[in-house]
Amino acid sequence: MTPVAWSEPRLLSQRDARTLAALAEVLVPLDAEDVPLGRVDLVARIERLLEGENRVFLRMTRLALWMLEYSPPFCGEGIARFSRLAADGRQRCVAWWETRPSWRLRNIYYLCKITVLSHYYDDEAVAAAVGYRP
Amino acid sequence: MLPADWKPSRAAAYRADRVERGDRLQGNVSVQCQVCVIGTGAGGAVAAAELARAGLDVVMLEEGAYLTGEDYGRLSPIESIKATYRDAGMTFTMGSPGILMPYGRCVGGSTVINSGSAFAMSEETFAYWKRTHGLPGLEWPDVARHFQRVGRTVRIGAVPEELMGGNGRLLREGAEALGLAGEVVTRNAHGCLGRGRCYLGCPENAKQGTNLNYVPMALEAGARLYTHCRAERVLSEGGRAAGVQARATGGGARLAVRAGAVVVACGAVFTPILLSESGLLKGNRHAGKHLRIHPASRVIGLFDREIKGHIGVPQSYHVTGLMPRDLVPEGIFVPPFLLAPAVPGMGRGHLELMKQYPRMGLIGYRVIDSGEGRVAGTVMGMANVKYDLSPQDTRKLVEAMQASGEILFAAGAKRVWLPVFGRGEAGSVDELRRLLSRPVAAVDIELAAYHPHGTLRMGIDEKDSATRPDGSLFGVEGVYVADASLFPESPIVNPQLTVMALAGVVAERLAEKRGLTLAA
Ligand SMILES: Cc1cc2nc3c(=O)[nH]c(=O)nc-3n(C[C@H](O)[C@H](O)[C@H](O)COP(=O)(O)OP(=O)(O)OC[C@H]3O[C@@H](n4cnc5c(N)ncnc54)[C@H](O)[C@@H]3O)c2cc1C
Ligand code: SF4
């Protein structure tokens, strides 16, 4: 399945969108044949959630994405940004975040992870494909 | 009462002449009434309906929108959350660890988004409240009468066997195999089809949130309702309530309500914030303190048979056998968007597990907390709720986690995923016990809480409490509290009915002061 082109970000920045895309590629197989993950417009969905809400949530989301984007030097992946790493580098980086002993650091990453996964699986067709048929 | 041909689907359009949207007001507005009730959740709606039916002129203020099943049915899960939860459900306590604590923000408040478990507090628990906090003038027969009154209105009944759903059944099977007592949950749902979306707003108008009963009853009795209106100040003059200053959400028109009595029912977090911002809690040493939340978490089990937990009532069975140890495992189930972040792995591995969604079983558990937090105003427009999980409550959570994991294994689970950092998965009871035998740090558990209470607890006097047992606030006349803030201790059971019954008591006492009695 060809991933859809995401909407132009309005609340998030282009850099945020690139970080999200790079993280999404690690967390969900966008080319899965039987589950239409690739058709989800992640940026549009996230912005629909954040629109009109307290700006703190937008700022928190953007800050968490920024920290992920600039984390590779701390993960031992050199000075590249997260969105510019090769797929295996990004996976190692995500594994680094997931295993931080500090719960505050882990929570920064969880915010990014929950943002990505919950919006993919909120899509009706994706949810139905994994067996959610209320 | 409501007319015989009353249909809940008409609720949002009912008595439209008495409902106004604050965000559509043309310019500032002043109104007058005898009692202004702030908040239309479990407490506010009951108080407003009882007072209006007793003959008082009531104005209700509600920050959220008036929606019913037809609206929720049209929305995706995340859109529903945005429409009915405060800050789209992204509300956390600040402390160690941060705990997800969502609140309803719509007509009906948290009763619209709750799971519908409906239990009256026991006489024994009430006796404990009396022993520890006195509560002069509040006796069990009064409270029991209000439980009955509320129970009739919100139509409580046990979940029928055919609606229990696979997840509730597996909890029962596992508990029975371990010899643990449990029971089918009683709920305020009528005509439930087991659509499993209770916490997103019931699309069938089956779950009896107060938007479908008490708010229409209040309107029928002549009350007026302003939605999309946030109360900003409770006004007082010479030590007496004088009214409420409110503002349309989005910062539009101002609404001034002149009233001789004000009933505040914004929930256990937002009532102390509003009263404090109104300057009415000065010198009130207990206000905002003693916050209890019933901290909660979950375990997920993977089965080699289909459970289809998303079909049927999501919270249909609970284990009572562990209540003496303050632990309450409850069957819960959630759609994939909430489950996905809790499922381990990434990429294809994660997807392969997600495809096992129909084979997953979920047990939630809450504990009766002995630790306390407090509400400390707002930070950047969000409630500043300080709550550190105490070591004792952490141990209770681990105990509940282990018991719930064992129940899943007893029901046939092949694997169990734990909500604890570094202790991800157990393949057997032995492994589960081994994983949890080492101490678990509070900050390593994924937590949520749905039952904040106790922040303006009632009692004998200001030395012990913030309010009197008739709901009146110490220090200012004519200001009443009628929500979960009033609880002096945990009700042990899920709280919505206790909130409603106490709100009924508060309304009755207020009516009596005006020489009125509650309608039959
Ligand atoms: C997800 C979830 C599941 C739950 N499940 C259960 C369950 O199964 N069984 C059970 O017994 N309990 C359950 N509960 C708890 C139960 O719903 C609450 O204890 C109960 O609704 C609390 O009543 P309340 O009147 O104190 O507050 P709420 O019902 O939350 O009502 C407060 C109202 O005040 C409004 N408000 C707040 N501030 C202002 C302001 N400044 N101006 C105007 N309006 C304002 C809010 O918008 C809201 O409508 C659950 C709660 C949640 C969140
Ligand atoms: S299970 Fe479904 S029909 Fe029943 S109360 Fe919940 S949302 Fe409504």
Side-chain angles (χ1 to χ4, degrees):
Chain A
M1 179 164 307
T2 323
V4 292
W6 290 354
S7 302
E8 270 300 293
R10 290 173 298 115
L11 302 171
L12 301 167
S13 68
Q14 292 287 355
R15 190 198 60 221
D16 298 331
R18 279 196 300 275
T19 314
L20 276 171
L23 180 61
E25 277 172 31
V26 176
L27 296 180
V28 291
L30 297 172
D31 57 351
E33 303 255 298
D34 45 351
V35 181
L37 290 153
R39 57 160 247 172
V40 175
D41 182 344
L42 186 62
V43 163
R45 278 181 170 269
I46 294 173
E47 294 196 335
R48 258 206 317 273
L49 179 77
L50 294 172
E51 193 155 31
E53 301 297 339
N54 189 323
R55 305 282 295 179
V56 172
F57 300 114
L58 174 63
R59 277 189 223 127
M60 264 162 43
T61 308
R62 295 201 57 197
L63 178 66
L65 289 169
W66 181 86
M67 290 179 80
L68 177 63
E69 179 70 356
Y70 291 99
S71 64
F74 305 97
C75 315
E77 293 298 324
I79 51 162
R81 293 178 182 188
F82 179 75
S83 59
R84 307 237 166 104
L85 290 177
D88 55 344
R90 268 183 275 142
Q91 272 171 18
R92 283 193 299 271
C93 202
V94 164
W96 180 88
W97 276 100
E98 289 216 337
T99 50
R100 282 313 78 212
S102 153
W103 63 280
R104 288 198 171 83
L105 278 181
R106 277 199 317 269
N107 281 356
I108 290 168
Y109 165 70
Y110 283 155
L111 177 57
C112 303
K113 176 178 170 174
I114 290 170
T115 303
V116 169
L117 287 177
S118 59
H119 285 283
Y120 273 108
Y121 285 94
D122 182 47
D123 180 84
E124 215 174 313
V126 171
V130 297
Y132 177 67
R133 291 184 199 94
Chain B
M1 284 306 269
L2 293 167
D5 63 344
W6 162 251
K7 290 210 172 48
S9 56
R10 290 170 46 201
Y14 190 65
R15 291 285 178 190
D17 53 322
R18 294 187 189 144
V19 183
E20 276 207 68
R21 281 183 63 144
D23 58 346
R24 294 199 183 147
L25 288 175
Q26 304 290 322
N28 298 343
V29 172
S30 293
V31 293
Q32 196 142 15
C33 63
Q34 286 172 298
V35 187
C36 179
V37 178
I38 311 172
T40 58
V46 173
E50 293 289 19
L51 291 167
R53 294 179 67 227
L56 286 158
D57 180 18
V58 174
V59 164
M60 298 180 270
L61 299 179
E62 170 54 54
E63 197 177 341
Y66 204 159
L67 305 168
T68 55
E70 292 63 33
D71 304 294
Y72 320 127
R74 277 197 303 271
L75 303 172
S76 85
I78 288 187
E79 285 166 346
S80 278
I81 286 185
K82 203 170 152 66
T84 51
Y85 284 64
R86 181 175 294 279
D87 296 333
M90 298 178 282
T91 40
F92 291 84
T93 61
M94 312 205 184
S96 168
I99 301 175
L100 176 72
M101 194 152 79
Y103 320 95
R105 184 181 51 191
C106 51
V107 173
S110 303
T111 68
V112 170
I113 53 154
N114 73 21
S115 309
S117 298
F119 296 100
M121 175 177 64
S122 72
E123 184 174 359
E124 195 188 348
T125 305
F126 182 75
Y128 177 70
W129 284 19
K130 284 283 282 183
R131 271 201 310 281
T132 46
H133 298 279
L135 310 184
L138 187 61
E139 302 301 333
W140 176 248
D142 272 347
V143 180
R145 183 166 46 82
H146 279 281
F147 271 122
Q148 277 171 9
R149 212 171 151 87
V150 165
R152 276 196 303 274
T153 306
V154 302
R155 308 169 94 166
I156 295 172
V159 177
E161 181 68 28
E162 67 275 15
L163 289 183
M164 256 191 89
N167 198 57
R169 274 195 277 274
L170 82 79
L171 173 55
R172 179 171 63 187
E173 189 185 322
E176 282 175 0
L178 296 177
L180 285 170
E183 64 187 12
V184 172
V185 162
T186 49
R187 307 178 78 226
N188 52 334
H190 185 76
C192 168
L193 299 179
R195 295 269 305 267
R197 282 180 55 125
C198 311
Y199 40 84
L200 298 170
C202 173
E204 304 299 330
N205 289 314
K207 194 184 62 189
Q208 298 296 297
T210 53
N211 56 328
L212 302 183
N213 37 60
Y214 281 102
V215 172
M217 276 160 67
L219 295 172
E220 177 66 20
R224 289 163 281 168
L225 165 64
Y226 289 88
T227 66
H228 302 82
C229 251
R230 181 180 161 75
E232 291 185 330
R233 292 270 181 285
V234 175
L235 307 171
S236 65
E237 283 162 14
R240 284 200 59 85
V244 180
Q245 180 188 307
R247 192 169 195 144
T249 49
R254 282 182 191 283
L255 176 67
V257 184
R258 298 291 303 174
V262 177
V263 176
V264 191
C266 303
V269 167
F270 297 95
T271 288
I273 289 177
L274 175 62
L275 290 172
S276 164
E277 287 176 352
S278 307
L280 298 179
L281 297 181
K282 287 182 191 132
N284 195 325
R285 284 193 293 134
H286 294 275
K289 305 210 175 116
H290 314 298
L291 170 73
R292 305 269 177 88
I293 61 174
H294 290 173
S297 191
R298 47 84 195 143
V299 287
I300 306 171
L302 190 59
F303 291 73
D304 56 11
R305 63 176 198 270
E306 286 209 328
I307 306 297
K308 291 197 174 161
H310 61 285
I311 298 174
V313 172
Q315 198 164 303
S316 59
Y317 191 84
H318 71 172
V319 172
T320 50
L322 298 171
M323 273 186 186
R325 280 148 62 188
D326 288 348
L327 324 175
V328 192
E330 303 170 310
I332 54 160
F333 210 79
V334 293
F337 85 99
L338 285 174
L339 204 63
V343 167
M346 53 176 119
R348 281 198 191 276
H350 183 267
L351 178 61
E352 288 312 312
L353 288 178
M354 281 306 292
K355 287 191 203 159
Q356 305 293 315
Y357 178 76
R359 295 193 158 86
M360 291 180 196
L362 195 58
I363 301 183
Y365 41 85
R366 61 184 172 87
V367 303
I368 311 305
D369 38 346
S370 17
E372 290 184 344
R374 72 191 163 92
V375 176
T378 54
V379 187
M380 292 184 284
M382 291 181 308
N384 184 5
V385 179
K386 308 264 192 206
Y387 187 95
D388 294 330
L389 195 71
S390 74
Q392 195 182 348
D393 294 330
T394 308
R395 280 194 295 277
K396 286 184 198 169
L397 276 159
V398 174
E399 233 188 292
M401 191 184 304
Q402 179 163 328
S404 304
E406 291 187 14
I407 292 170
L408 284 171
F409 280 120
K414 298 297 164 204
R415 277 191 258 173
V416 163
W417 294 313
L418 300 172
V420 182
F421 171 66
R423 325 263 170 107
E425 178 176 316
S428 66
V429 172
D430 285 345
E431 195 179 357
L432 173 74
R433 289 185 184 158
R434 195 164 40 74
L435 281 173
L436 296 179
S437 63
R438 279 179 290 129
V440 172
V443 293
D444 286 343
I445 311 177
E446 287 167 36
L447 291 170
Y450 307 98
H451 301 166
H453 58 269
T455 47
L456 290 160
R457 72 183 186 192
M458 40 184 194
I460 297 179
D461 57 28
E462 286 155 289
K463 284 194 217 108
D464 165 72
S465 42
T467 51
R468 298 181 189 88
D470 64 357
S472 59
L473 187 70
F474 286 120
V476 51
E477 253 186 74
V479 176
Y480 294 80
V481 174
D483 60 23
S485 319
L486 289 176
F487 295 4
E489 296 289 336
S490 165
I492 311 294
V493 292
N494 313 55
Q496 64 169 338
L497 279 198
T498 308
V499 176
M500 291 180 182
L502 288 182
V505 172
V506 171
E508 186 166 37
R509 300 288 190 267
L510 203 166
E512 280 164 3
K513 281 186 194 161
R514 308 281 168 118
L516 298 166
T517 50
L518 295 192

